Amino acid sequence: MINQSMAALGNNRSTIRELFEYGNSRAAVVGRENVFDFSIGNPNVPAPDAVRRAILEETAGDPVALHGYTSAQGAADVRRTLADDLNRRFGTDYTGDCLYLTAGAAAALSCAFQAIACPGDEFIVMAPYFPEYKMFIESGAGAKCVVVPPSVQDFQIDFDALAQALHARTKAVVINSPNNPSGAVYSEQTIRRLAGLLAEKEEQYGHPIYLVSDEPYREIIYDGIEAPFVPRYYENTIVCYSYSKSLSLPGERIGYVLVPPQAADSVDLYAAVCGAGRALGYVCAPSLFQRVAARCAGQTSDITVYQTNRDLLYNGLTEMGYRCVKPQGAFYLFPQTLEPDDRAFCERAKKYDLLVVPGTDFGAPGHMRISYCVQTETIRRALPLFKKLAEEYGCK
């Protein structure tokens, strides 16, 4: 028998995929340069030079050793190096046995969710959220996904709504900062308040509530802002990380799950992550890029292009009458659409070959996500089209 729920997921094409296919079809008609595809979060700055050097040096070695299996959770020396880097940067005391290397953040999240989920558990996510969370939680881990509505004024946490969502069946809360799609960075005040609320609820319900911190954009932050390192504020934190964005390596699929020793039942939790990786088929992350990640730990691609794009796009759109919270990190803008029906607005934008994603897909109707990890000239050429679109709605 075919698993019908899996078949349904396979047939349910995402908006982003549909926009990608639409963009290809339009490019054949008007030319690729005249299709302004802001739908995909694909880093467009080169990887640091250290990545190229690491690849060349590693591939000059023994090919059998380089391309062979590592241990299931990742090569021990790589995990130790990555742990040392975290300790240096955040003042922690991790060992390599706190890390499970994965094929990107999606694998890290899937392993973490499945490791902690039991029948009847609920996972809380804060809108706007990465759409795959719901699939990873419900179809992957067999738990219930509970969505907390967004605080659209600043995209910090709506703590009143979160407090109402928390109850005895809550196993975990999922956060993503810097955030996809809003670009918001949770402040230290937000993280402290979140930690205090979860600790209070843990005591009330008599069991741990894990905080799963999804952090692929950790290093992509602007204006001198710092993103709090969440495990320093809340012990029962599990970190899911990817080098896709920081090193501009999305196609190489390398990341990790971090299980801090301070987390409740950390030994069993780490074993459960390893077991989930085995059950899901996420064992032995790509061996070459394990070693590249270790060689380049703590480095980041040049994000000044993203900041230039952010400023150009944010200033341009707000001058036209679009309303938007200025992003502090990641490479997305999340303006309000100029009509309540965000899907209708994004469909109308296609008239100008502007491809943007409706906020409904992220649990925040009435918004659109614009990925600005594109050439700066693309934004310059697109701004007059956004202005024409705004003028259709009476903005001058």
Side-chain angles (χ1 to χ4, degrees):
M1 286 289 291
I2 295 174
N3 185 318
Q4 293 302 313
S5 63
M6 293 297 105
L9 286 169
N11 289 328
N12 182 20
R13 295 187 303 171
S14 71
T15 303
I16 293 175
R17 179 63 182 174
E18 290 174 351
L19 286 170
F20 178 77
E21 293 175 355
Y22 174 83
N24 283 339
S25 66
R26 284 295 293 161
V29 176
V30 302
R32 176 67 63 186
E33 71 280 5
N34 294 315
V35 177
F36 300 91
D37 189 350
F38 297 103
S39 67
I40 301 176
N42 193 32
N44 72 310
V45 299
D49 289 342
V51 169
R52 180 175 178 274
R53 291 196 301 270
I55 293 171
L56 291 174
E57 291 171 10
E58 288 292 340
T59 53
D62 179 0
V64 175
L66 175 64
H67 300 297
Y69 291 123
T70 67
S71 59
Q73 65 266 46
D77 59 329
V78 169
R79 289 185 285 118
R80 183 168 56 250
T81 297
L82 297 180
D84 288 344
D85 176 65
L86 291 172
N87 295 338
R88 175 184 60 81
R89 295 167 63 195
F90 301 116
T92 49
D93 58 354
Y94 303 142
T95 69
D97 290 336
C98 299
L99 292 166
Y100 182 90
L101 303 188
T102 62
L109 289 163
S110 296
C111 291
F113 293 161
Q114 190 163 108
I116 59 179
C118 296
D121 283 346
E122 294 185 0
F123 286 55
I124 295 175
V125 303
M126 249 69 68
Y129 62 91
F130 185 54
E132 273 75 2
Y133 287 169
K134 187 174 178 66
M135 181 175 69
F136 295 160
I137 290 167
E138 295 188 343
S139 298
K144 181 180 179 181
C145 181
V146 177
V147 177
V148 170
S151 174
V152 297
Q153 294 80 17
D154 56 8
F155 293 115
Q156 298 291 306
I157 294 172
D158 183 337
F159 280 99
D160 290 338
L162 175 58
Q164 292 179 12
L166 287 162
H167 52 68
R169 292 188 298 277
T170 302
K171 176 60 71 71
V173 172
V174 184
I175 61 172
N176 172 218
S177 173
N179 180 258
N180 174 10
S182 71
V185 177
Y186 284 164
S187 66
E188 182 177 23
Q189 180 182 7
T190 292
I191 296 300
R192 286 188 182 278
R193 186 173 176 185
L194 175 61
L197 176 61
L198 295 184
E200 175 187 320
K201 294 298 182 180
E202 284 185 326
E203 184 173 355
Q204 179 180 347
Y205 300 132
H207 66 77
I209 298 176
Y210 291 101
L211 181 57
V212 180
S213 186
D214 179 22
E215 303 183 1
Y217 302 94
R218 182 195 294 151
E219 287 78 21
I220 303 179
I221 300 180
Y222 315 115
D223 305 323
I225 293 170
E226 293 187 10
F229 187 62
V230 180
R232 295 172 63 181
Y233 299 85
Y234 186 68
E235 290 187 345
N236 289 334
T237 297
I238 303 167
V239 175
C240 297
Y241 184 78
S242 167
Y243 293 93
S244 294
K245 309 305 190 293
S246 60
L247 293 179
S248 294
L249 296 173
E252 308 305 343
R253 315 310 301 146
I254 188 70
Y256 60 73
V257 181
L258 166 67
V259 179
Q262 294 81 11
D265 305 314
S266 62
V267 174
D268 289 342
L269 177 57
Y270 183 80
V273 169
C274 294
R278 187 180 183 113
L280 294 167
Y282 291 131
V283 292
C284 183
S287 57
L288 170 59
F289 280 89
Q290 288 188 39
R291 301 200 172 280
V292 170
R295 282 175 171 261
C296 301
Q299 299 194 42
T300 306
S301 297
D302 181 5
I303 67 169
T304 57
V305 172
Y306 297 146
Q307 182 158 353
T308 296
N309 289 357
R310 179 204 64 168
D311 293 343
L312 181 63
L313 188 60
Y314 173 81
N315 292 336
L317 292 185
T318 53
E319 287 172 5
M320 297 173 195
Y322 292 91
R323 299 178 63 185
C324 182
V325 177
K326 190 173 185 178
Q328 299 171 317
F331 37 60
Y332 307 103
L333 209 68
F334 202 54
Q336 294 180 20
T337 49
L338 299 178
E339 63 172 291
D341 187 340
D342 53 310
R343 292 196 183 280
F345 178 88
C346 293
E347 191 64 28
R348 183 178 290 197
K350 289 181 181 178
K351 181 168 69 172
Y352 299 99
D353 290 311
L354 296 169
L355 307 185
V356 294
V357 186
T360 296
D361 287 10
F362 304 94
H367 294 78
M368 59 176 163
R369 190 189 77 170
I370 306 174
S371 299
Y372 54 82
C373 46
V374 297
Q375 296 298 316
T376 303
E377 184 60 23
T378 299
I379 295 174
R380 290 196 178 100
R381 293 179 59 235
L383 284 173
L385 302 176
F386 277 109
K387 184 173 179 59
K388 288 182 179 180
L389 179 59
E391 288 171 349
E392 288 197 26
Y393 290 89
C395 298
K396 300 295 183 182

